[in-house]
Amino acid sequence: MNRLQQALDALVERIDTPAPIILADVMQDNIDRMQALADRQGLDVRPHVKTHKCVEIGRRQLKAGAVGITAGNVGEAEVFAKAGFDDIFIAYPLWAAGTKGQRIRKLAETTRLRVGADNVAAIHALADAMEDDAGQLEIVVEIDCGARRSGAPPAAAGELAAAARRRGLVPAGVFTYPGHGSAGPEARERAAKDQEAALIVAVRSLAAVGITPEVVSAGSTPTVEFATNSVITEIRPGEYVFNDLNNARLGACTQDQIALFVAATVVSDQVPGQVILDIGTKAIGREGSSEIGFGAIAGTSAVLAKLNEYHGFLPLPGGVRPRVGTVVPVVPNHVCPVVVNFEEYVVTESSGTSLERWAVDARGFLN
């Protein structure tokens, strides 16, 4: 991954640290590769924008062939709808309380809006929120395929879809999230098989109440290459656009396919055997462990051993000691928590010659 250091070296006099750096050529290759995989399998791509929260990147995904976007909450959907995105799936079991009912109804007026639901009470709340316009809102029933997060049992999908239909909502299909595919390299294919089995049961459950699903939606980046069953109609990967160390460890990407890193500066070397970087939990998130570290220095075996809010503790094995002022590329374990910490990306390419800044448009939109 010395390519990241090379790009950074070309930028270093034009940026302040810490800063999230996107290699746009690598990112575009990731977008095109995922679209090509889906096209070969006859699947729609509906990328999850929670990973990047950036309108410019979403537009590039649509230009490559995505049918629409996936959002994680109403606020994200509103940001992208305002920017002209007109086919949005909020893949979350929404509860229409407070002003969310009004906001969902307004979104449904200007976009083709699908929302997730995994219980009857939520379906009734959504129908109440839509009032006489229930037919403008599509419901996608969430089922659990083994991640044990949200999601109804697959066999209950038909019952929930029928409840939505009775309230005038449009039952569009089912979705699930095979999050247990991130448990290790061997878990990816196994989780994809669990996903396939659960979706087959769910589709049969819909058929039993006379509903043919328009969408049977699968995720995620670690499992997407195994989402090949004919029952699946679309995939919702998110992290693939940037990739990260977790996906590289799982075998879901190569090191050369990592498109985002965080530039950090060595700011202190007062403690023997370590230096301090200006990158802490407020820049790179908290994900990591003593075994894998909290981010890696590209092109080396060094990893951050500890983080405070603004301090990254970097042990120095073998006597290597970067000087104060050295700027290094830090690759995150999980890219999504990095994005929410910055107002903009620094965008370049692998040569580091160009420099643009793109807004993280949906930063801070969590409800």
Side-chain angles (χ1 to χ4, degrees), residues 125-271:
L126 288 165
D128 290 343
M130 293 300 296
E131 298 178 345
D132 294 337
D133 296 322
Q136 291 184 350
L137 183 63
E138 299 184 21
I139 300 297
V140 188
V141 175
E142 183 178 12
I143 61 166
D144 177 41
C145 67
R148 299 186 63 81
R149 194 174 70 173
S150 52
E159 174 187 347
L160 293 171
R165 181 175 57 187
R166 286 193 296 271
R167 289 300 309 272
L169 300 165
V170 180
V174 292
F175 79 104
T176 192
Y177 171 67
H180 53 310
S182 297
E186 72 290 341
R188 296 169 59 216
E189 187 170 6
R190 183 169 64 248
K193 290 184 181 301
D194 291 344
Q195 173 179 251
E196 173 186 315
L199 289 172
I200 289 172
V201 171
V203 169
R204 289 173 180 165
S205 177
L206 293 177
V209 296
I211 295 174
T212 300
E214 182 177 349
V215 60
V216 180
S217 185
S220 56
T221 295
T223 59
V224 71
E225 70 179 276
F226 304 109
T228 57
N229 188 273
S230 60
V231 73
I232 297 170
T233 66
E234 77 171 21
I235 52 175
R236 309 183 318 278
E239 294 166 355
Y240 80 98
V241 71
F242 296 144
N243 289 313
D244 52 28
L245 288 179
N246 284 346
N247 278 295
R249 294 186 188 104
L250 291 170
C253 73
T254 67
Q255 298 281 356
D256 287 342
Q257 291 165 354
I258 293 176
L260 182 146
F261 63 91
V262 182
T265 300
V266 178
V267 293
S268 176
D269 63 355
Q270 293 297 313
V271 176

Side-chain angles (χ1 to χ4, degrees), residues 11 23 36 42 54 99 311:
L11 289 175
L23 301 182
C54 175
T99 63
H311 299 73

Side-chain angles (χ1 to χ4, degrees), residues 2 16 62 75 78 81 90 99 131 150 166 228 286 311 319 350:
N2 286 324
D16 294 322
L62 290 186
E78 288 171 328
I90 304 176
T99 63
E131 298 178 345
S150 52
R166 286 193 296 271
T228 57
R286 297 180 179 273
H311 299 73
S350 294

Side-chain angles (χ1 to χ4, degrees), residues 1-12 14-15 19-27 30 242-245 248 253-264 284 295-300 302 327-333 335 346 348-353:
M1 291 201 299
N2 286 324
R3 63 190 177 84
L4 303 187
Q5 185 68 63
Q6 292 168 5
L8 180 55
D9 288 345
L11 289 175
V12 70
R14 294 177 285 164
I15 63 170
I21 312 293
I22 294 175
L23 301 182
D25 52 338
V26 179
M27 181 191 72
N30 292 341
F242 296 144
N243 289 313
D244 52 28
L245 288 179
C253 73
T254 67
Q255 298 281 356
D256 287 342
Q257 291 165 354
I258 293 176
L260 182 146
F261 63 91
V262 182
I284 202 169
I297 310 304
T300 77
V327 182
V328 297
V330 180
V331 183
N333 288 320
V335 70
V346 175
T348 186
E349 71 295 306
S350 294
S351 66
T353 53

Side-chain angles (χ1 to χ4, degrees), residues 267-285:
V267 293
S268 176
D269 63 355
Q270 293 297 313
V271 176
Q274 77 171 26
V275 294
I276 296 296
L277 306 183
D278 62 347
I279 182 172
T281 60
K282 289 189 181 298
I284 202 169

